[in-house]
Amino acid sequence: MDDKRGRMFVSAGKVIGKRYRVVKELSDGAFSNVYKCFDLKKNIPVVIKCYRSMQSYGNCARSESAVMLALNKVDKENKHFIKYYGHFSYHNHVCVVIQEFGMSLYDAF
């Protein structure tokens, strides 16, 4: 499941966090792997960013989560910021759950 650099790799069909079925991997970046998933509890598509399993990356994930939560509190209708659904820990990886939206900022530029 993990490589030597702490990256999490999961295949399509696997359930992570006891409620998210992986549809496909979207990208693998410097800090995380990103998966398109389906939330089995809410019956909606989501994107999950699974950070590398090192403490410094987990700290970054929690900071990113705090920022997204604060932005969602200001933008209650999600007109300006992507919807943040929460985060969870899975096999020492912090996983951030967000709205499925479109292309990443990296792909946009």
Side-chain angles (χ1 to χ4, degrees):
M1 178 179 282
D2 283 8
D3 70 3
K4 292 178 184 177
R5 298 181 303 161
R7 293 180 179 279
M8 183 174 88
F9 293 103
V10 293
S11 56
K14 179 142 177 97
V15 174
I16 59 175
K18 298 182 181 179
R19 73 182 262 190
Y20 303 101
R21 183 170 310 280
V22 176
V23 175
K24 68 179 182 176
E25 182 179 35
L26 295 175
S27 68
D28 57 356
F31 299 105
S32 62
N33 289 26
V34 180
Y35 296 95
K36 178 178 180 173
C37 298
F38 190 78
D39 184 335
L40 299 170
K41 185 176 180 181
K42 292 184 176 182
N43 291 317
I44 59 170
V46 297
V47 170
I48 299 181
K49 192 174 181 181
C50 301
Y51 281 81
R52 290 168 63 177
S53 63
M54 300 157 104
Q55 184 175 352
S56 59
Y57 292 102
N59 292 342
C60 289
R62 285 183 282 282
S63 293
E64 181 177 336
S65 293
V67 169
M68 286 191 285
L69 180 61
L71 292 172
N72 281 183
K73 284 182 180 179
V74 174
D75 182 26
K76 294 185 188 302
E77 296 178 14
N78 299 104
K79 290 184 178 181
H80 304 287
F81 302 104
I82 199 156
K83 178 75 176 158
Y84 166 73
Y85 294 117
H87 69 277
F88 63 95
S89 182
Y90 182 74
H91 296 285
N92 295 321
H93 296 270
V94 176
C95 300
V96 177
V97 185
I98 58 174
Q99 168 187 15
E100 181 186 32
F101 194 72
M103 76 172 71
S104 70
L105 288 175
Y106 180 80
D107 292 334
F109 296 98

